[in-house]
Amino acid sequence: MKNYLGLMKLRVVELLLVTTVPALFIGSEGIPSVSVTFWSLLGGTLAAGGANAFNIVIEADSDRLMKRTANRPIATGEISRKNGLIFSLFISILSLLIFYIFTTNLATILTAIAIIFYVLIYTITLKRNTSQNIVWGGIAGCMPVLIGQAAVTNSLTVTSWLFFLVIFFWTPPHFWALAVRYKDDYAAAGIPMLPVVAPMKSVIRQMWFHSIAMSITSVALIINANMSPIILIASIILILAWNLQLVNLTKSPTEPNASKLFQASIVFLSIYSFLIVAGVLLK
């Protein structure tokens, strides 16, 4: 069971759930029902876990070439590719059934799109063919904020799309900061992550583009949702703290500073999600 759970990359799933919760609050305009929250988080865990498991099945050969992933259960042979595929299909279908039965049709459709996009577009098509793979492939990771809204209202709003854009622009700097640390691994596996194929100055320049866009959309979401000025001020302070880490990386483009930016990105998303929940409750 531990090996099968390993296929789901639950540490990655945690971040997706962190953004699902505020989306549920936005959709409910207050505290969401326990039922919708439970089934959305369970369905979201299985959907993201299923997509991740597909990813590991497909990339088993590459995983063996990378120190960071060499111990994954299919790479080591603890789980066969066939059994991994069966597990991926099972929990992915189960997730769709959960969304269909306990939430809404739109949430179910968006979940299916997220799984298909991550597997077919990102893993199979983009990852090995472009250094911008995570920019467009990251769309799959933005879907939980739409799914959370749709699970409550069976519709999407401007606020939910702004939240989508926050995650869209957040993803590249977050992932590129990690890729700086593991660029030798990606190079060994022949995966053209941006820090592998581009000079560090170019990587940082693109990080700044996405960071500025993320900062703008983060503020726009708070304003569009008519949240308290306290939430807006707190969000601006959080954005400045994030960008300060990027300033440090710009001044000294070292692996330790890239690691600090990666950790800062997780802190930013977690606190920002909390601020959205607080903003909804304070309205």
Side-chain angles (χ1 to χ4, degrees):
M1 181 58 70
K2 180 180 178 181
N3 287 330
Y4 280 103
L5 289 175
L7 293 180
M8 296 175 69
K9 301 184 191 176
L10 291 178
R11 291 186 66 183
V12 176
V13 173
E14 287 176 12
L15 280 177
L16 301 178
L17 298 182
V18 161
T19 59
T20 303
V21 171
L24 292 168
F25 275 77
I26 291 172
S28 303
E29 297 183 349
I31 300 174
S33 74
V34 174
S35 175
V36 170
T37 300
F38 174 79
W39 292 114
S40 295
L41 294 181
L42 178 60
T45 298
L46 294 174
N52 287 334
F54 276 120
N55 174 272
I56 290 179
V57 170
I58 294 165
E59 297 194 324
D61 293 334
S62 297
D63 284 346
R64 294 187 186 99
L65 301 174
M66 299 171 63
K67 293 178 182 179
R68 183 172 68 92
T69 58
N71 291 324
R72 286 177 175 171
I74 294 181
T76 60
E78 292 174 279
I79 296 176
S80 68
R81 263 185 162 154
K82 177 182 177 182
N83 287 342
L85 181 60
I86 291 171
F87 176 74
S88 306
L89 284 168
F90 174 74
I91 63 173
S92 296
I93 292 171
L94 180 59
S95 74
L96 295 177
L97 287 173
I98 286 172
F99 275 108
Y100 181 74
I101 295 170
F102 297 105
T103 65
T104 67
N105 291 339
L106 181 58
T108 307
I109 292 169
L110 291 173
T111 302
I113 290 172
I115 295 171
I116 293 169
F117 193 95
Y118 185 78
V119 176
L120 297 183
I121 305 300
Y122 172 65
T123 301
I124 294 178
T125 305
L126 294 175
K127 192 168 183 178
R128 288 189 164 276
N129 293 298
T130 173
S131 62
Q132 296 295 304
N133 45 28
I134 199 63
V135 174
W136 304 108
I139 288 173
C142 305
M143 295 300 287
V145 302
L146 301 183
I147 294 167
Q149 169 85 44
V152 176
T153 65
N154 201 32
S155 63
L156 299 175
T157 63
V158 173
T159 302
S160 59
W161 281 111
L162 284 171
F163 200 5
F164 177 96
L165 289 175
V166 170
I167 309 302
F168 177 79
F169 291 120
W170 169 89
T171 301
H174 163 76
F175 202 89
W176 286 335
L178 179 67
V180 168
R181 180 178 177 184
Y182 293 107
K183 65 180 181 180
D184 291 340
D185 267 5
Y186 286 117
I191 299 173
M193 289 298 174
L194 188 65
V196 175
V197 301
M200 194 60 187
K201 285 186 178 180
S202 176
V203 175
I204 292 174
R205 184 166 59 250
Q206 293 189 52
M207 281 183 172
W208 271 113
F209 169 80
H210 288 278
S211 180
I212 292 170
M214 183 196 73
S215 301
I216 293 169
T217 51
S218 297
V219 171
L221 188 159
I222 302 299
I223 294 172
N224 176 262
N226 295 314
M227 293 184 182
S228 164
I230 296 173
I231 301 300
L232 178 60
I233 294 169
S235 297
I236 292 173
I237 293 172
L238 183 63
I239 290 166
L240 292 174
W242 153 271
N243 282 295
L244 179 60
Q245 290 296 327
L246 190 49
V247 168
N248 292 337
L249 181 63
T250 303
K251 290 180 178 178
S252 178
T254 61
E255 184 179 306
N257 281 338
S259 295
K260 289 178 182 178
L261 180 64
F262 174 73
Q263 294 299 326
S265 69
I266 296 174
V267 172
F268 171 87
L269 190 62
S270 300
I271 296 178
Y272 185 74
S273 295
F274 171 79
L275 288 175
I276 291 176
V277 171
V280 172
L281 295 178
L282 289 173
K283 286 178 67 174

